[in-house]
Amino acid sequence: MNWFRDFLLPKSAASNTGDVDGLFMFITWLTVFFFFFNGGLIWYAVRKWRRRSNDDITPHITHDTKLEIIWSVIPLIVVMFIFFWGFRGYVRAWVVPNDALEIVVTGKKWVWEFEYPDGSRSLNDLHVPLNKPVKLVMHSEDVIHSFFVPAFRIKRDVIPGRYTELWFTATEPGVHQVYCTEYCGKGHSDMLARIFADTPEQYEVFLREGDEQVRKMPLKELGKLVYENKGCATCHSIDGTRGQGPSLKAIYGQQITDAAGKSHTIDANYIRESILNPQASVVAGYEPIMPTFQGLLREREILGMIEYIKSLQ
Amino acid sequence: MSDSTTTVQTDRHAHAHPPGLQHHFTNMTQQFEAAKLGMWLFLVTEVLLFGGLFVGYGIMHSKHPEAFVAAHHHLDWRLGALNTIVLLLSSFTMVMGVWAAQTGQRKKLIAFLLLTVFLALVFMGVKYVEYSHKFHEGLLPGKFYSHQGDTVPGQFMFFSFYFMMTGLHGIHVLLGIVAILWITFRAWRGHFSAQYYGPVDITGLYWHLVDLIWIYLFPLMYLIS
Amino acid sequence: MSNHAADHAHEITGPRTYSLILLALLVLTIITVAAARFDFGSMNTVVAILIASIKGSLVALYFMHLRHDRFNAVIFVLGLFFLAVFLIWTLFDISTRKTVLPGNLKQAPQAFPGAPLNKPIRPSTGQPLGAPPAP
Amino acid sequence: MADAMTPTAAHGHPDYLSENKGLWNWLTTVDHKRIGLMYLWSVTAFMIIGGLLALVIRLELLTPRQTIMSAELYNRAFTLHGAIMTFLVIIPAIPAILGNFALPLLLGAKDVAFPRLNLASLYVYWIGAAMAVSTLLLGGVDTGWTFYTPYSTTTGGGVSMMVLAAFVLGFSSIFTGLNFIATTHKLRAPGMGWFQLPLFVWGMYSTAIIQILATPVLGITLLLLVMERVFHIGIFDPQLGGDPVLFQHFFWFYSHPAVYIMILPAMAVMSEVIPTFSKKSIFGYKAIAFSSVAIALLGFLVWAHHMFVAGMSLFAGAIFSFLTFFIAIPSAIKVFNWIATMWRGSIDLKVPMLYAINFLLIFTIGGLTGLFLASLSTDVHLHDTYFVVSHFHYVMAGSNMLALLAGLHYWWPKMYGRMYNNTLATIACTLIFIGFNATFLPQFVMGSRGMPRRYYNYLEQFQTMHVASTIGSWILAAGLFLALATLLASLRKPKDAVPNPWNGRTFEWEAGSPPITHNFEHTPVCIYSPYDYREHPVPIAEEEKSAH
Ligand code: HEA
Ligand code: HEA
Ligand code: CUA
Ligand SMILES: [Cu+2]
């Protein structure tokens, strides 16, 4: 009867789905059984005791306590059984393993944004390693959304003003569909995302070079994305105003003097060093507060940043 | 409510019906009991209507206790207590009115009803004083809240509830005044007797419920700590 | 039920009882006010509700004649019962909700009017989210 | 039920339809039967509007992406469909139509306890309906019928108006319920004790309990929503310190019990139709009566099963799931009792009985699919998918609509004094059964495969099932229109119905077809049980004696 399960449910792709599928199929069979059981009884009664004439005499039966107790107790047992089965699955889906990889999910009209532990972000595409528990910490910027992955049998609302969590361990490599299942307006049905369950090799590539979206992006645009997403914007402006750090506008090719009195030309190497090892030369007049981005930016992102700064003339 | 206060229907069977008995009831007791049951069912809906607000208030209070306590200091508990006493007195005069009706004392009935209306107006007067004071200070519900110098953020929510709850209650008081005046008018016309006083009793029930709700509103709004 | 009706019509409570009840209600009002100036710690609200409920019962039993009116009393209490169910279970859910926070936040961001809107904190930067970038 | 048969119009009184004709007389009537009929046609009108909207929805879903309308329009369409169907059609349907018409007759009363309140309820209904329809002029409503915050507090259009309409309609429902409780308590025929009440009355009584206890909470919820929109009071707004999920508690505290406002009356109709057409006493009278009350009361304890994935706590989820399952027990008891009633009966497959059998089958599916949703781990997967949509159409559209049709065909001779064409009505019933299952069975499958609800656009993989569902909806519509046409066609004939065409045992069959304005020439007296189908019925008094 596996074909029936595969007809009713999407192919399971996570570790905890067995419990859910088992219960689902149990209740399905229960429903099928009672449909045919009740239908059969009715059919039998109608065939056998169809009215023959208007003076048919029927027995006067008002009740049968024993029978009635039986058909109250049997459903009671059945539903209690279902309750505990469902509860078990729910608890398993509730308790997050400690070693889970944490990813922050932001829902907003009508995109999903994922933020990885290294601070990199992506829209609508989420990469996760296979066979490793992953925990999603989710919140919404506007209305309620809901994060639903049918293949993992998980779903939880994404609520403004509060965080909710969801976890899974993907067991099937490939792409899994994510839907928004809480009605959120015009773009509700297009608020889709994909989860890429990566093999270790694929995940390596992803960690090193970012996801496909990033890999295909022109360098300059990638730089802009990094500037906006990695926190550069909090200290550096691009319009020439002074922030906690110097503005990045039109600095490429300029000469600057650092706190130690040495002067530098701002070129690709200088920018790279400023990002990876900012304290090596601190621009005169600024505090040495810029954190290092060693390990937080991928090589291609640094190249992108350089291109982006170049473009800010 | 209005159904028990209806005039006689022309009945095709032309039985000798007592005045005030509607065609589909067999006797006055049945009609009175039905009307009273109807009123109680209506009161239950009122309890749940206000109840929803109490639940909302309770939950927001437990979520922002400091803000609510800080905000309630803007209310004058003395005015609240005064109004509590006024309403309790009015409940008393109302029930005395019912007693007068039951014992067939028409003059006393009218007097007690008018006294009740008077006390209700006093209540509304005090509310007017309180409200205008709040308006003046910018203690208004929701986005109209413009009070300056709050020490704890979130105080505005207390006033959202304050106005919704006392406002809804105030509307009920006004409706009660109208109902009692109508009953007074009918008493004056001599509609009631020791045998037929259902409408007085039923209006009384409504009025006591209005009092009952205030009994809870007072400590929850004016006296929290 | 309807056959009881006639018998009760004569059970008329008189002014004496009503006056006593009024007195009790006024005294209880004073007690509430007094109790409010007294700190019972976490029991403050409970005490206030308790006194209000005594007052409410007096009004319902005597002024509203529920003392002689079993059936309507059942209806009324049923209403209060379901109101209590509503309050208690909603509070139960709200008070047992799990507080989930991203790894780098120690405390849930609080939001209040007047204060900047409740922008969630971005874990990587510790800064509030800016305007959402266009998709 | 009583001893004597009163022949129609023996005293020369005209029936309630012929007396005082004219629009004005209808609009000012306090006759419960006329009010019932006015409800019938009002509700039918809205059912057609809601149904046409459903057909439009189905048409849009024929293909992925845009088929006939934009996403904005689609969202408005399903919201209006849901709101009309719940607030204007199904909640008033059986209580206000069949309840108003039949309850006083079944009790042997002349009218409901508060006839003018009854008329007021109809006017309130019309006002609410006008308000609901007027939202179309205000730009429509796109929140879904559940009005979840914060979406509903931030979107534009006529949300406030729609919410106020639902508020007003709530009063109509409260008035009806209040009337039924008072009528059942105070206006029973002489000799009619609680266990001689026809079970229809028990069902209506249980429904009325819910209407009285739950509807006011809906009222205040909707008022809070309007306040939030107009004043920004903050209670549901996370940015102001409120809690958007709190709204869901408020909403479902009403709306879950409300689903039993929809099914209890349907069950009430079953308990009349099945014994009549089986010519046999109802099986387990008390069990059915108490099950109705049990469903009504239990229904208040389970509302949060709509919120299992809304960030509720583990404990709260477990408790609400646990309690939800208990409602399956009284429902199961009823289903089995009805089948047992048919057992060894003399089953006459007239149209009402056919609808009743269809009800049994469809309710079995609809109810049992509720178990998937009540159970925690499966609900996580199925919540807000088409599985839920299909579940509630099986119980609301399927079960309730079939019961309404069963009751309508059952009491039609009483209402209008005319018999309809049995063959055409049977064909209609068959079409409805086929069409209904063709529409909604595929939705179970696409739902469990992950198709979310309220989706205007969907992935290619779901198209086959959407197409099947859309075609089913046309068959269903054809069946419903045929049923309506058959009933309407009968009105063109002269009155030909006898007072008791089905050999029923309850009081209404002793009144004329149609009855006179005050229902009975002589006040009936309850001597026999309403379900005593013996050749020589035994008076209740004797039966009780022999029991001791
Ligand atoms: C008439 C209306 C009606 C009725 C009667 C029911 C009946 C039931 N409903 Fe349904 N429900 C709705 C209308 C209704 N529902 C609506 C409108 C929604 C969605 C609202 C929205 O989100 O828009 C909904 C949604 C809904 C949910 C939330 C799903 C979600 O959003 O995630 C749940 C969860 O528990 C649920 C459960 C049940 C249960 C357990 C019953 C039970 O009462 C069913 C009991 C009946 C039976 C069990 C069948 C008869 C018994 C037998 C044949 C015997 C055999 C039985 C056993 C062995 C147990 N329903
Ligand atoms: C009583 C309730 C009721 C009824 C009867 C129906 C009837 C139907 N519904 Fe509806 N539906 C809801 C209540 C109902 N629905 C609710 C509450 C929602 C949720 C909305 C939301 O998400 O907010 C919903 C949502 C909903 C959706 C999901 C939309 C989405 O999530 O994107 C769909 C999709 O297929 C649908 C289809 C249908 C169809 C094909 C019918 C067909 O059964 C309609 C057939 C009817 C006709 C064609 C009219 C003909 C009628 C007559 C001729 C009158 C006959 C009368 C007499 C004889 C008296 N409905
Ligand atoms: Cu986001 Cu639906
Ligand atoms: Cu429910």
Side-chain angles (χ1 to χ4, degrees), chain A residues 6-8 23 38 49 51 54 56 58 60 62 68 71 90 94 155 157 162 180-181 183 185 188 190, chain D residues 75 142 151 279 284 287 308-309 311-312 337 345-347 375 380-381 383-384 448-449 454-455 457 534:
Chain A
D6 294 339
F7 173 62
L8 292 180
L23 179 56
N38 289 353
W49 296 297
R51 185 169 301 179
N54 271 338
D56 277 359
T58 58
H60 186 69
T62 56
E68 288 180 66
W71 69 49
Y90 193 61
W94 187 270
K155 174 184 295 130
D157 283 4
R162 205 177 124 201
C180 174
T181 46
Y183 174 69
H188 170 57
D190 300 320
Chain D
N75 293 344
D142 68 340
Y151 186 78
K279 209 180 177 195
F308 286 152
V309 302
M312 222 172 32
N337 277 351
S346 156
I347 298 167
S375 135
V380 169
H381 178 61
H383 173 74
D384 268 351
S448 60
R449 296 192 65 84
R454 296 170 174 171
Y455 262 33
N457 179 12
R534 279 171 286 193

Side-chain angles (χ1 to χ4, degrees), chain A residues 123-151:
Chain A
L123 286 183
N124 293 343
D125 280 352
L126 170 64
H127 281 260
V128 296
L130 260 184
N131 297 323
K132 281 245 177 62
V134 174
K135 165 170 133 182
L136 307 177
V137 174
M138 313 187 290
H139 68 90
S140 161
E141 282 187 8
D142 37 45
V143 300
I144 303 181
H145 304 273
S146 190
F147 193 87
F148 175 35
V149 195

Side-chain angles (χ1 to χ4, degrees), chain D residues 252 256 259 302-303 305-306:
Chain D
W252 290 115
H256 180 78
V259 310
V302 305
W303 72 86
H305 65 211
H306 296 269

Side-chain angles (χ1 to χ4, degrees), chain D residues 26-27 29 34-42 119 122 126:
Chain D
W26 274 83
L27 290 179
T29 184
R34 286 190 168 193
I35 294 174
L37 289 193
M38 286 192 281
Y39 260 119
L40 167 63
W41 297 115
S42 314
L119 183 63
L122 177 64
W126 280 339

Side-chain angles (χ1 to χ4, degrees), chain D residues 175-205:
Chain D
F175 292 166
T176 305
L178 201 153
N179 238 326
F180 287 174
I181 292 193
T183 310
T184 309
H185 274 283
K186 301 296 176 197
L187 289 177
R188 302 196 300 273
M192 190 185 269
W194 280 94
F195 295 118
Q196 283 84 49
L197 288 180
L199 285 166
F200 182 79
V201 179
W202 275 97
M204 285 299 149
Y205 187 87

Side-chain angles (χ1 to χ4, degrees), chain A residues 30 34 38 75 78-79, chain D residues 145-146 252 256 259-260 262-263 305-306 308 324 327-328 331-332 335-336 363-364 367-368 370-371 373-374 379 382-384 388 391-392 395-396 453-454:
Chain A
L30 188 79
F34 272 107
N38 289 353
V78 173
V79 293
Chain D
W145 82 284
T146 48
W252 290 115
H256 180 78
V259 310
Y260 298 111
M262 307 169 191
I263 202 69
H305 65 211
H306 296 269
F308 286 152
T324 300
I327 300 193
S331 311
V335 169
F336 292 131
F363 180 69
T364 300
L368 282 161
L371 299 185
L373 304 172
D379 180 64
L382 298 169
H383 173 74
D384 268 351
V388 177
H391 156 68
F392 69 70
V395 275
M396 293 165 90
R453 66 191 280 204
R454 296 170 174 171

